[in-house]
Amino acid sequence: MNYQNSLVVTLLIICVVPNRSVAESSVAQRGHPIKQESFGQTKDGKNVELYTITNSHGVEVRAINYGGIVVSLRVPDKNGKLDDVVLGFDKLDGYLDKSPYFGAIVGRYGNRIANGKFTLDGKEYSLAKNNGPNALHGGLKGFDKAIWAAEPFQNNQGKGVVFTYTSKDGEEGYPGNLKVKVTYTLTDKNELIFDYQATTDKATPVNLTEHSYFNLAGEGTGDVLKHELMLNADRFTPVDKTLIPTGELRAVKGTPFDFRTPIAVGARIDDNYEQLAFGGGYDHNFVINRKTGDLQLAARVYEPTSGRVMEVYTTEPGVQFYSGNFLDGTITGKQGHVYKRRYALCLETQHFPDSPNHPEFPSTILRPGQTLHSRTIYKFSAQK
Ligand code: GLA
């Protein structure tokens, strides 16, 4: 075969072999344990793929390329028994119909922007108001509802999937084509690492987070009021009744927001304190104590019956502690489990809510030529 013919044959092979088999075969050659299979189709006929990642201790993460959703996360209890510790659905339909961001990547701007408006470089931008008077979690079709490109990988650190998505200039009202890459890595130290990266061609606010709903006793088993929580935060950002920060950084000392030493989530949740009334419980951003922009322990959760522990490390300045107040029993999730009020908690690492309207908060503006880097780690263990 001459050079030209062999080139044609090579090109034909490349074109005919579907992407997935290329990924699977290269992954298999390296003894890669990531399994890829179909998780159904969106209403407009797009295929959704499920990736199953397992580490040497049997910890298993299942994630899909719709919203980058972590659909299950199985971690050992004090006796080594694995249970799924995140709320979600057995099938794609649940996520398409009415998921309150279960397990998803949230963007372009996680959390709220007051009145769905912000001004950047002298220009006013309007966003959909999808949460009372405010914009929440990226809009009507945020990153949680996008189909992401996905590429499994294995490296020295662990194994996982790289999710990429380009959010178009003007999408949901935000300026600039934003290229986003989120790498999920499961390590043999029972860590699930999220590495966020983003670039833009116009200045834009960006605030990316991961919205897993945790119940360390196992999803659907009950409320999280006995989970013991430590938050490494001397201050939090109080909100108005629509959950927009007032701008104050309030000391937690002497308030039901002091989690600096571990205490049960339910110990003070119904105290007579205006901020708890506004949130219907905890739904607040805590200012993580830090001296540098490096990884910092933000939160530690311990569930006494299972002994499971989750630590959250992040490079972000804040963490939204949400005690699942809006879960109200109208969602039936995995295995027919009905998710009632406070059946889970979220620890959304982030920049502060409504930062585009608060110049005194750490900036969320990404400009052309800059690259956003952010890392969050969920680390699991168990104690007897
Ligand atoms: C975040 C918000 C909550 C709620 C959930 C999703 O945690 O702060 O108010 O919107 O997401 O239901």
Side-chain angles (χ1 to χ4, degrees), residues 100-101 111-112 136-137 211 213 243 283 320 322 326 348:
Y101 308 92
N111 218 308
R112 294 173 176 79
L136 176 70
H137 289 341
H211 210 306
Y213 282 65
L243 302 186
D283 195 351
Q320 182 88 3
Y322 170 54
F326 296 126
E348 304 153 58

Side-chain angles (χ1 to χ4, degrees), residues 42 80 180 189 225 315 319 334 360:
T42 60
V180 188
K189 289 189 259 168
L225 298 179
T315 58
V319 59
K334 293 180 233 184
E360 73 279 19

Side-chain angles (χ1 to χ4, degrees), residues 30-197:
R30 281 179 277 133
H32 202 298
I34 296 179
K35 188 164 134 205
Q36 182 178 344
E37 63 202 294
S38 173
F39 199 64
Q41 285 196 335
T42 60
K43 301 220 159 98
D44 53 357
K46 300 224 171 68
N47 289 326
V48 174
E49 296 290 307
L50 170 70
Y51 299 85
T52 303
I53 314 159
T54 316
N55 77 3
S56 58
H57 306 293
V59 169
E60 180 200 78
V61 181
R62 289 160 74 242
I64 56 175
N65 67 324
Y66 176 81
I69 293 172
V70 172
V71 296
S72 69
L73 176 53
R74 289 163 58 77
V75 299
D77 71 1
K78 60 186 174 194
N79 302 313
K81 181 173 169 278
L82 296 170
D83 277 308
D84 184 359
V85 295
V86 293
L87 273 53
F89 301 99
D90 292 321
K91 295 210 177 106
L92 181 62
D93 288 1
Y95 293 103
L96 301 177
D97 292 342
K98 55 165 184 179
S99 173
Y101 308 92
F102 282 159
I105 300 171
V106 176
R108 186 177 299 201
Y109 196 95
N111 218 308
R112 294 173 176 79
I113 295 184
N115 303 309
K117 279 195 180 9
F118 64 92
T119 301
L120 177 56
D121 297 338
K123 192 168 168 211
E124 187 175 88
Y125 293 89
S126 283
L127 312 167
K129 295 177 186 173
N130 59 339
N131 188 247
N134 304 319
L136 176 70
H137 289 341
L140 300 173
K141 188 171 186 262
F143 293 2
D144 58 298
K145 297 178 185 68
I147 298 278
W148 295 65
E151 192 66 51
F153 71 91
Q154 177 158 18
N155 61 23
N156 296 339
Q157 208 177 11
K159 51 211 152 204
V161 179
V162 179
F163 290 106
T164 50
Y165 175 64
T166 299
S167 166
K168 296 250 160 57
D169 187 9
E171 189 177 295
E172 292 293 329
Y174 291 96
N177 292 294
L178 184 77
K179 288 192 181 161
V180 188
K181 177 163 124 178
V182 190
T183 306
Y184 297 17
T185 308
L186 177 65
T187 74
D188 281 334
K189 289 189 259 168
N190 293 358
E191 299 159 316
L192 178 58
I193 306 177
F194 296 88
D195 282 303
Y196 302 85
Q197 201 179 303

